[in-house]
Amino acid sequence: MNMLQGWLIALISFAYLGALFGIAYYGDRRADAGRSIISRSSVYALSLAVYCTSWTYYGSVGRAATSGLGFLPIYLGPTLMLTLCWFVMRKMIRIAKANRLTSIADFIAARYGKSQLLGGLVTIIAVIGVIPYIALQLKALSSSLSILLSYPEIILPARTTATHWLKDSTLYVALTMAAFSILFGTRHLDTTGRHEGMVAAIAFESLIKLLALTAVGLYVTYGLYDGFTDIFARAAAVPKLASLLTLDGHYSNWASLIFLSMSAIMLLPRQFQIGIVENVDEKHLRRAVWMFPLYLLLINLFVLPIALSGLLQFGEGHNADAFVLTLPMLHHQQALTLFVFIGGLSAATGMVIVETIALSTMVCNDLVMPLLLRWKWLGQARRVDLSGLPLTIRRWAIVLILLLGYVYFRFAGETSALVGIGLISFAAVAQFAPVMLAALYWKGGTRAGALAGLSAGFLVWC
């Protein structure tokens, strides 16, 4: 009997999102009362796991199914960054706190003479560069929902570009994400840029996606097979799969992927928001340097077994990005299938909420507000009370960013694997690395040099 009816999936999904909002609301109330619930270092370390999005949850298995161990560099980079270069993050935290900086655009602009032009350029690059990454989350959510609604049959979603946009469920997913992002991040104005409730909610969702991926991994590894040894032995007996168990031919691009991911863990707007802006005590970094790499190890522990199991049971031609969801569906594990979907919903939602809040802050502070105040004919500079204007700008910015993500999904996102879409955004934010390092360690860096470097890098990326 099929218990996974559409109404039940919607009810549980909204109940979970409501629980996340409840945690965020409680966290904000406690912060207002001076009793922070994110004062524990483990909460900070878990919140950093917003790095693990649908790309990790679904896309890592898809990449492992085609390149074996080739999915690892995306997680080796952050591990190396936190274990070997943690002092860079500590310096960024100290500078951000001392200067009350609320975004990566503010940070870079402040270190080069408080240049509004530079802050605006960083914002434009960040928004355009991260749009594909937001499209990735919409694609993963839409695809997983479509697959789940076909239960007990496994019907992979067809291309929807021929579907009228008003009939495309992904549009409504995007608008729902926009509504929750607005509720999470723009209910009130905080000059510090902090959202303690949001951090608590992200720490919780990090646990949920880890538990869900571990649950399906344990089921596949020890429920369908007799452990790691059994899966690897069966894969080794198939020539096409045996190559996935070796490093041959996969290490040539590891260096570039490790560099991109080392940059991303600090320079993606959401990572800067969580890791730098939302940090309440730099001592929390001490636990994060080992706890976050441990989290990355645990969440990727079953990636290769799930990929190999999917290839053994479905063969080639099946969408490997969907193995995490379709393997329990194949064996009619309804409860596990629903839990896996909620884990994927959690991974996508967490990323979208933090990313859009971070980007909307940048759009407001470094693009829209400076223009409104500069254009005298608008009369904004003469207004006595501007307190409500930033919130309005941020809310509309969130809606616009998610709609741009949907447009990218419609015209480009469906033709690419999840990992490929994510790497586009990683390459975009890597443009910030030279400017950021120069801001931290080179006093000779100039505004003109920063503008020239960012502009050239962005043009190459485009």
XYZ file of all heavy atoms in Angstrom, residues 410-444:
256
model
N 15.678 26.796 -15.524
C 14.860 26.541 -16.713
C 15.681 26.462 -17.984
O 15.437 25.619 -18.853
C 13.819 27.661 -16.878
C 12.667 27.616 -15.927
C 11.586 26.659 -16.362
N 10.890 27.067 -17.580
C 9.762 26.506 -18.011
N 9.210 25.541 -17.322
N 9.194 26.908 -19.123
N 16.691 27.329 -18.088
C 17.395 27.431 -19.363
C 18.755 26.744 -19.396
O 19.307 26.538 -20.465
C 17.559 28.903 -19.743
C 16.259 29.578 -20.053
C 15.669 30.448 -19.153
C 15.602 29.314 -21.241
C 14.453 31.059 -19.438
C 14.393 29.918 -21.533
C 13.811 30.791 -20.634
N 19.299 26.396 -18.240
C 20.633 25.782 -18.247
C 20.762 24.625 -17.275
O 21.459 23.659 -17.549
C 21.694 26.838 -17.930
N 20.095 24.740 -16.152
C 20.323 23.785 -15.069
C 19.969 22.354 -15.380
O 20.572 21.430 -14.854
N 18.974 22.134 -16.240
C 18.526 20.769 -16.492
C 19.504 19.969 -17.353
O 19.420 18.750 -17.410
C 17.162 20.798 -17.177
C 16.048 21.267 -16.256
C 14.695 21.075 -16.900
O 14.295 21.931 -17.697
O 14.048 20.072 -16.603
N 20.419 20.648 -18.005
C 21.329 19.933 -18.891
C 22.595 19.478 -18.180
O 23.431 18.826 -18.775
C 21.736 20.831 -20.081
O 22.406 21.996 -19.563
C 20.523 21.259 -20.865
N 22.746 19.826 -16.900
C 23.996 19.552 -16.197
C 23.767 18.700 -14.962
O 22.709 18.725 -14.348
C 24.657 20.873 -15.755
O 24.804 21.754 -16.838
N 24.806 17.934 -14.585
C 24.786 17.214 -13.318
C 24.928 18.221 -12.186
O 25.417 19.329 -12.376
C 25.918 16.195 -13.284
N 24.506 17.808 -10.989
C 24.538 18.716 -9.849
C 25.942 19.231 -9.564
O 26.146 20.411 -9.276
C 23.974 18.012 -8.610
C 22.494 17.602 -8.669
C 22.080 16.941 -7.366
C 21.602 18.792 -8.959
N 26.920 18.336 -9.634
C 28.294 18.736 -9.330
C 28.800 19.778 -10.316
O 29.465 20.749 -9.943
C 29.222 17.502 -9.305
C 30.686 17.933 -9.251
C 28.907 16.632 -8.099
N 28.471 19.605 -11.587
C 28.919 20.554 -12.603
C 28.380 21.947 -12.355
O 29.093 22.943 -12.509
N 27.104 22.023 -11.933
C 26.506 23.330 -11.640
C 27.216 23.969 -10.454
O 27.522 25.162 -10.448
C 24.997 23.179 -11.344
C 24.257 22.645 -12.578
C 24.386 24.514 -10.931
C 22.801 22.303 -12.334
N 27.494 23.181 -9.431
C 28.145 23.705 -8.241
C 29.535 24.238 -8.509
O 29.938 25.276 -7.962
N 30.273 23.559 -9.374
C 31.650 23.986 -9.672
C 31.683 25.335 -10.373
O 32.662 26.081 -10.236
C 32.359 22.929 -10.526
C 32.817 21.670 -9.771
C 33.381 20.643 -10.736
C 33.853 22.020 -8.705
N 30.633 25.656 -11.119
C 30.554 26.973 -11.768
C 30.594 28.071 -10.708
O 31.325 29.064 -10.837
C 29.258 27.081 -12.611
C 29.307 26.119 -13.811
C 29.057 28.508 -13.099
C 27.985 26.000 -14.552
N 29.818 27.881 -9.641
C 29.785 28.878 -8.569
C 31.078 28.894 -7.768
O 31.543 29.958 -7.342
C 28.597 28.595 -7.640
O 27.378 28.849 -8.303
N 31.676 27.734 -7.549
C 32.966 27.683 -6.845
C 34.019 28.486 -7.595
O 34.812 29.208 -6.993
C 33.431 26.230 -6.704
C 32.929 25.551 -5.455
C 31.714 25.891 -4.899
C 33.674 24.562 -4.834
C 31.250 25.272 -3.744
C 33.231 23.943 -3.679
C 32.006 24.285 -3.139
N 34.015 28.352 -8.912
C 35.002 29.088 -9.720
C 34.752 30.590 -9.647
O 35.697 31.383 -9.692
C 34.941 28.611 -11.169
N 33.488 30.980 -9.510
C 33.167 32.416 -9.432
C 33.709 33.032 -8.152
O 34.374 34.079 -8.178
C 31.657 32.628 -9.531
N 33.433 32.400 -7.002
C 33.867 32.999 -5.733
C 35.373 32.868 -5.521
O 35.947 33.589 -4.701
C 33.110 32.395 -4.523
C 31.632 32.677 -4.625
C 33.388 30.914 -4.368
N 36.017 31.972 -6.275
C 37.481 31.870 -6.177
C 38.154 33.165 -6.633
O 39.311 33.420 -6.284
C 37.985 30.693 -7.015
N 37.412 34.001 -7.390
C 37.965 35.289 -7.824
C 38.257 36.190 -6.627
O 39.083 37.110 -6.716
C 36.988 36.014 -8.767
C 36.457 35.182 -9.919
C 37.552 34.550 -10.753
O 38.567 35.174 -11.024
N 37.347 33.301 -11.124
N 37.578 35.950 -5.507
C 37.788 36.778 -4.317
C 39.065 36.428 -3.568
O 39.519 37.227 -2.737
C 36.599 36.643 -3.346
C 35.276 37.039 -3.912
C 34.105 36.395 -3.520
C 35.170 38.077 -4.831
C 32.869 36.763 -4.026
C 33.937 38.461 -5.350
C 32.791 37.797 -4.950
N 39.611 35.243 -3.804
C 40.734 34.756 -2.998
C 41.957 35.676 -3.033
O 42.474 36.051 -1.968
C 41.099 33.334 -3.418
N 42.470 36.069 -4.222
C 43.649 36.947 -4.224
C 43.399 38.285 -3.534
O 44.249 38.773 -2.780
C 43.948 37.138 -5.725
C 43.279 36.002 -6.407
C 42.061 35.706 -5.590
N 42.220 38.888 -3.786
C 41.893 40.176 -3.185
C 41.777 40.054 -1.665
O 42.253 40.911 -0.914
C 40.573 40.725 -3.781
C 40.166 42.020 -3.107
C 40.717 40.936 -5.281
N 41.161 38.968 -1.205
C 40.997 38.751 0.230
C 42.341 38.526 0.917
O 42.630 39.117 1.971
C 40.072 37.553 0.471
C 39.872 37.229 1.942
S 39.047 38.552 2.863
C 37.351 38.301 2.343
N 43.184 37.662 0.346
C 44.494 37.395 0.955
C 45.371 38.648 0.960
O 46.092 38.903 1.923
C 45.191 36.249 0.212
C 44.560 34.866 0.423
C 45.247 33.832 -0.469
C 44.665 34.434 1.886
N 45.279 39.434 -0.112
C 46.035 40.686 -0.157
C 45.525 41.655 0.911
O 46.304 42.351 1.567
C 45.924 41.324 -1.545
N 44.215 41.666 1.116
C 43.629 42.539 2.134
C 44.103 42.156 3.525
O 44.287 43.003 4.399
C 42.105 42.476 2.059
N 44.318 40.857 3.728
C 44.721 40.373 5.049
C 46.215 40.517 5.314
O 46.626 40.795 6.437
C 44.316 38.896 5.200
C 42.819 38.592 5.262
C 42.597 37.084 5.245
C 42.187 39.199 6.498
N 47.036 40.309 4.269
C 48.474 40.154 4.517
C 49.383 41.063 3.690
O 50.594 41.003 3.836
C 48.884 38.688 4.271
C 48.228 37.734 5.227
C 47.177 36.919 4.823
C 48.637 37.665 6.556
C 46.567 36.043 5.708
C 48.045 36.792 7.454
C 47.009 35.988 7.021
O 46.402 35.126 7.911
N 48.815 41.896 2.806
C 49.681 42.738 1.960
C 49.234 44.186 2.071
O 48.179 44.563 1.547
C 49.622 42.269 0.506
C 50.567 43.008 -0.393
C 51.838 43.429 -0.104
C 50.322 43.411 -1.746
N 52.397 44.065 -1.182
C 51.495 44.068 -2.213
C 49.243 43.272 -2.618
C 51.592 44.587 -3.495
C 49.340 43.777 -3.897
C 50.510 44.429 -4.332
N 49.998 44.989 2.741
C 49.642 46.398 2.939
C 49.775 47.223 1.668
O 49.240 48.318 1.578
C 50.513 46.998 4.041
C 50.235 46.412 5.419
C 51.079 47.086 6.488
C 50.759 46.506 7.870
N 51.582 47.132 8.940
N 50.490 46.683 0.678
C 50.686 47.422 -0.568
C 49.542 47.305 -1.552
O 49.566 47.934 -2.619
